[in-house]
Amino acid sequence: MDNKRIYFGSIKKEDIKQKKDSSISNGGDDDEENQPEFLPFSKHTKRSQEQHQKVLDEYERKKRAKQVIVPTVDNLVKLKLRELLEPIILFGEKPEHRRSRLREILIERNIIDGTPLLISNKKQQEEQEELEGSDEENFLTEGTEELKTARINISIYSLKKSQQRLLQLKEQRELELSIQKENENKKNQFEERQQKRIQKKLQLHENDNMNIDDDDNHDDDDDDDDGSNMMVKIKTEFEKDMEYTVKELKNYYSSVSQVGDDRPLSMGVFSPDGKNVAIGSWSGVSKVWSVSGEKKQILSGHSQRVSCIAYHPLSGIDGNHTKNLVNIATTSADSTCKLWPLLNNNAEDDATVNIETQPILSLEGHSDVVNRCSFHPCGRYITTSSNDKSWRLWDLESGGKCLLDQEGHSDGVMGISIQSDGSLIATGSQDGLVRIWDLRSGRPILYFQGHSKQVISVDWSPNGYQLASSSEDNTVVIWDIRKKEQSSQILAHNSIVSCVKFQKQSTQTNNNSSSHGCANYLATCSFDGKIKTWSPNTWSPLATFEGHSSKVTSIDLTNSKILSTSFDKTWKIWSNDN
């Protein structure tokens, strides 16, 4: 039998060597007949192998092409071609063709990253510097002892106030739950009586032996039951307040209207006792008036327009806070905030009224327009916001020393408001953001983004967790800091919403029991010349007041009055005074 083996194609040399070794070990038979014979492939087989190899090469090429990083900037493409000693520009070559040529060169040379070495080295150096910088501690400016003392005082004050507010909210909630439970019981009892009455009437109709007189008597009894079984729902304090508020607002009218200055009026506020109003003007002069429209004091000291005016929280309501102390603060476009006393007059001597009062203190430090100011509820500190993209905290007892210069907005800071507890402060900026800061630690804790244009005014609700902001985009947004999100958006006016205010006192002046922790309504004013009020929680419109002939710049609220100032140089009080 012939032992010759025929092999088609190539075989591994190792297999042949093993065959030879085994043959030598078996006796060294070198007979040529036992040697393997190799026959060439056919042309068709070779062509198939070549095509298969081309497909594999093309696949590998595309795989490498996907991994190759080619610069998109034409200058970087030229720089890389120069590094590879290739022609930078060919005749008639466009940038996209040059980039494709670089890609082919990188694939051929098996180069994955086509970024020029100069650029890649620079990026590596920057990344190394960032890693080295991340190992370092965050840069923090050490605060002064006065700032530390202020934060301790604010913490003590805010803890007491927050405990009182939460206790009041808890009592109110428990009362509402008890009323709700009682109303549900009444509803269930009423439905049971109604069901029994219907069943009784059906039984009477099914009985064919009943007399007509008896039917009439039963009908009379049913009528009596209908009258006696009417369900009367018990109303909560909040519902009572809302009913009273809506009723009063519908009867509001312009009870007082007074020309405040020769220039447009920028802002007006009520005094804490509600007996006086302070009005700021574009002329740089501020004036104090009684609510009946009698001028009582002139505050002159600013060289440019007054942008904001605010009363000290203890002015007129605390006997220890005399008129010679700081009672009013004004901010101006002259980059200052001035603090003023009150005169001891009864508006009877015209000569005394016309004397221009000089400021007790001037707070200087901002490098641009000071837009707003707000007293801390404890009365010792005051905050200011400015177009220099910062807000500041000042200590009145230390001679108006600046304790904190806080940055954080990318544009000028407009609105500023301190929570009723005194622990949080809200700022609204021209960058469209509303930021919440913790005065006890100095940290920014929240920021809200929802306005499409600059935020002009912000105000806290007395419940402590809702914040309203008005903007140049004609809207008012309600924010909930518990949920950390937007609660509602009000399409309030047809023009810029210049001011937003919550009512923080009960409208029932004849009743000392107020709805604790719940604002009765929200008020807004706009450059469209209108003042609007809105229901809390639902934010539906309650009443609209029109009377100014130009833009309304500000509003303020007291227990039963609304104060407004305007570009028409007048201030008005809207009330239901008979």
Side-chain angles (χ1 to χ4, degrees):
M1 182 177 180
D2 190 5
N3 293 327
K4 181 183 288 188
R5 295 184 180 179
I6 299 175
Y7 295 91
F8 292 91
S10 61
I11 60 174
K12 295 182 180 179
K13 293 182 179 181
E14 292 80 1
D15 296 339
I16 299 175
K17 187 176 181 180
Q18 290 177 1
K19 288 284 185 180
K20 288 183 179 180
D21 294 338
S22 61
S23 62
I24 292 171
S25 61
N26 291 330
D29 187 5
D30 295 332
D31 190 8
E32 294 182 357
E33 293 181 355
N34 295 329
Q35 295 298 323
E37 182 178 354
F38 297 95
L39 297 178
F41 284 124
S42 63
K43 292 182 180 181
H44 177 71
T45 306
K46 283 185 178 182
R47 189 163 50 251
S48 299
Q49 281 189 341
E50 290 174 359
Q51 291 178 355
H52 179 67
Q53 188 64 34
K54 286 181 181 180
V55 172
L56 291 178
D57 294 341
E58 184 66 20
Y59 174 77
E60 291 294 331
R61 181 182 173 280
K62 290 183 178 179
K63 187 176 179 181
R64 290 197 305 270
K66 291 181 180 179
Q67 297 174 352
V68 170
I69 301 173
V70 184
T72 56
V73 182
D74 190 47
N75 290 333
L76 297 181
V77 172
K78 294 177 182 179
L79 184 59
K80 188 62 179 178
L81 288 171
R82 183 187 293 273
E83 289 181 0
L84 298 175
L85 302 178
E86 293 288 338
I88 298 175
I89 300 175
L90 299 179
F91 181 76
E93 188 179 42
K94 294 182 179 180
E96 56 270 20
H97 299 155
R98 188 161 37 252
R99 186 169 182 267
S100 299
R101 181 163 62 89
L102 176 59
R103 181 186 295 275
E104 295 296 332
I105 294 172
L106 294 175
I107 294 172
E108 290 177 2
R109 300 192 183 187
N110 199 19
I111 300 174
I112 296 178
D113 191 0
T115 306
L117 295 177
L118 182 64
I119 304 299
S120 59
N121 292 337
K122 188 181 292 185
K123 287 183 178 180
Q124 290 177 1
Q125 187 177 359
E126 290 177 356
E127 290 176 358
Q128 186 175 0
E129 290 178 356
E130 289 180 0
L131 291 174
E132 292 176 356
S134 62
D135 295 336
E136 299 177 359
E137 295 182 358
N138 293 329
F139 177 76
L140 298 175
T141 303
E142 185 176 356
T144 61
E145 287 296 326
E146 291 86 352
L147 178 58
K148 181 179 179 181
T149 303
R151 286 177 174 167
I152 292 174
N153 294 337
I154 291 173
S155 299
I156 295 173
Y157 178 87
S158 63
L159 283 174
K160 293 180 180 178
K161 286 291 184 178
S162 60
Q163 287 175 356
Q164 295 175 3
R165 177 175 59 85
L166 292 175
L167 181 61
Q168 291 171 353
L169 286 173
K170 185 177 179 181
E171 292 176 354
Q172 178 189 359
R173 183 58 179 165
E174 290 177 352
L175 181 61
E176 289 178 353
L177 289 175
S178 63
I179 293 175
Q180 183 180 358
K181 186 176 180 180
E182 188 172 352
N183 286 332
E184 289 179 355
N185 293 334
K186 283 190 172 185
K187 182 180 178 181
N188 294 332
Q189 293 175 2
F190 177 76
E191 291 177 351
E192 290 178 359
R193 288 196 297 268
Q194 290 291 96
Q195 191 67 24
K196 289 180 179 179
R197 186 179 65 84
I198 292 172
Q199 291 177 358
K200 187 175 181 181
K201 184 177 288 188
L202 290 174
Q203 291 177 358
L204 291 175
H205 284 291
E206 289 176 356
N207 192 351
D208 298 331
N209 298 325
M210 293 297 296
N211 295 326
I212 297 177
D213 295 336
D214 293 338
D215 291 338
D216 293 338
N217 292 332
H218 282 297
D219 290 339
D220 294 338
D221 294 339
D222 292 339
D223 294 338
D224 293 339
D225 290 341
D226 291 340
S228 60
N229 291 336
M230 292 296 292
M231 190 183 107
V232 180
K233 182 181 177 182
I234 302 175
K235 296 179 181 179
T236 63
E237 291 296 325
F238 175 75
E239 292 174 339
K240 293 178 182 177
D241 278 351
M242 278 307 305
E243 285 186 359
Y244 185 85
T245 300
V246 172
K247 181 181 178 181
E248 289 293 307
L249 287 175
K250 288 181 179 179
N251 296 323
Y252 271 25
Y253 67 98
S254 178
S255 59
V256 178
S257 181
Q258 187 67 259
V259 177
D261 198 74
D262 297 333
R263 297 288 306 278
L265 306 183
S266 54
M267 181 168 284
V269 291
F270 280 108
S271 61
D273 59 3
K275 297 178 180 179
N276 300 315
V277 295
I279 309 295
S281 169
W282 275 44
S283 65
V285 176
S286 301
K287 298 176 183 179
V288 179
W289 305 74
S290 66
V291 292
S292 59
E294 298 175 352
K295 184 168 61 176
K296 302 182 68 175
Q297 189 174 349
I298 300 175
L299 312 176
S300 177
H302 288 292
S303 59
Q304 296 187 42
R305 61 178 174 86
V306 175
S307 55
C308 179
I309 189 167
Y311 264 100
H312 192 282
L314 302 179
S315 177
I317 60 174
D318 188 353
N320 296 326
H321 193 84
T322 62
K323 294 185 176 181
N324 296 326
L325 299 177
V326 175
N327 282 267
I328 295 177
T330 57
T331 62
S332 171
D334 61 10
S335 305
T336 64
C337 175
K338 297 187 184 297
L339 308 175
W340 310 83
L342 290 177
L343 294 180
N344 294 308
N345 61 55
N346 296 321
E348 296 177 354
D349 189 358
D350 294 336
T352 305
V353 170
N354 292 325
I355 295 176
E356 296 182 353
T357 307
Q358 296 300 317
I360 297 175
L361 193 62
S362 180
L363 306 180
E364 300 178 358
H366 286 291
S367 60
D368 208 333
V369 177
V370 182
N371 292 313
R372 297 288 185 270
C373 65
S374 179
F375 281 98
H376 191 272
C378 70
R380 178 174 176 176
Y381 308 102
I382 186 173
T383 58
T384 56
S385 63
S386 171
N387 276 354
D388 62 7
K389 307 177 185 179
S390 71
W391 63 271
R392 296 193 176 201
L393 177 67
W394 311 79
D395 186 2
L396 302 181
E397 294 186 4
S398 64
K401 184 176 181 180
C402 180
L403 301 179
L404 177 64
D405 183 5
Q406 182 65 60
E407 297 179 347
H409 287 282
S410 61
D411 211 332
V413 184
M414 296 291 292
I416 190 168
S417 178
I418 301 177
Q419 190 190 33
S420 58
D421 299 341
S423 58
L424 303 178
I425 182 171
T427 56
S429 171
Q430 294 174 357
D431 59 12
L433 296 180
V434 177
R435 290 189 178 273
I436 312 294
W437 312 77
D438 191 343
L439 287 174
R440 299 163 296 184
S441 63
R443 295 179 179 273
I445 57 176
L446 285 174
Y447 78 91
F448 297 115
Q449 186 174 9
H451 289 289
S452 59
K453 295 184 179 179
Q454 64 175 336
V455 179
I456 298 176
S457 175
V458 292
D459 192 42
W460 286 96
S461 169
N463 59 27
Y465 60 85
Q466 284 181 323
L467 176 72
S469 61
S470 65
S471 170
E472 199 176 283
D473 61 6
N474 308 348
T475 66
V476 173
V477 177
I478 310 299
W479 311 95
D480 193 328
I481 65 171
R482 301 174 304 176
K483 299 178 181 178
K484 301 180 181 181
E485 63 181 16
Q486 174 181 315
S487 174
S488 180
Q489 184 177 27
I490 308 173
L491 302 178
H493 294 271
N494 297 325
S495 186
I496 297 172
V497 185
S498 54
C499 189
V500 59
K501 283 287 180 72
F502 277 100
Q503 182 176 13
K504 301 176 176 64
Q505 301 179 12
S506 174
T507 55
Q508 300 185 31
T509 56
N510 58 349
N511 187 1
N512 295 327
S513 62
S514 62
S515 183
H516 295 295
C518 182
N520 285 341
Y521 63 90
L522 177 73
T524 60
C525 66
S526 170
F527 280 9
D528 61 7
K530 298 179 181 179
I531 303 164
K532 294 184 178 182
T533 55
W534 311 85
S535 172
N537 301 328
T538 60
W539 313 113
S540 56
L542 297 178
T544 301
F545 308 107
E546 298 183 55
H548 288 288
S549 60
S550 187
K551 306 171 183 176
V552 181
T553 55
S554 74
I555 52 172
D556 195 26
L557 311 176
T558 185
N559 54 0
S560 58
K561 296 180 177 66
I562 299 176
L563 171 67
S564 62
T565 59
S566 172
F567 263 59
D568 63 8
K569 307 173 188 177
T570 65
W571 59 270
K572 298 180 184 292
I573 291 181
W574 310 81
S575 65
N576 189 22
D577 296 338
N578 296 321

